[in-house]
Amino acid sequence: MKKVVIVTGTPHPNGTSLQLADAFEKGAKAAGNDVYRFDAGLREDEMKFLHLDAGESTIHDDDVISNEVMPKLLDADVVVLVTSLYYYGINAQLK
């Protein structure tokens, strides 16, 4: 069993990128893999993890990226990045 992390960046809840991620996730789970998925484009409030204080940026203690996503990424056997393709580049949410 592999640890699979899927990170999506599209802000379109019914878009083709999320449909692709859904199909991959379904297949990975059916094959018996441990799957973690983070939909960055759909979690706007949690993505505001930088706090500017006196000209310095700090990370909140409840930062979902540092506390949840990064440990999963570091422990993963397979990382799948799913993004909408705008002008042949990765969208900002996934970056």
Side-chain angles (χ1 to χ4, degrees), residues 4-74:
V4 179
V5 173
I6 303 170
V7 183
T8 69
T10 181
H12 305 290
N14 298 318
T16 55
S17 295
L18 287 184
Q19 291 177 24
L20 175 66
D22 292 343
F24 182 88
E25 181 179 11
K26 182 179 177 183
K29 285 182 177 179
N33 296 300
D34 180 28
V35 178
Y36 169 79
R37 179 170 169 172
F38 183 76
D39 294 309
L42 300 176
R43 298 171 79 158
E44 293 177 22
D45 293 339
E46 295 174 356
M47 298 303 289
K48 298 174 185 171
F49 55 88
L50 288 180
H51 174 67
L52 299 177
D53 185 24
E56 297 181 20
S57 55
T58 58
I59 297 177
H60 291 282
D61 292 337
D62 62 347
D63 171 30
V64 69
I65 301 298
S66 295
N67 296 331
E68 183 181 328
V69 179
M70 288 304 293
K72 296 284 188 180
L73 282 171
L74 293 172

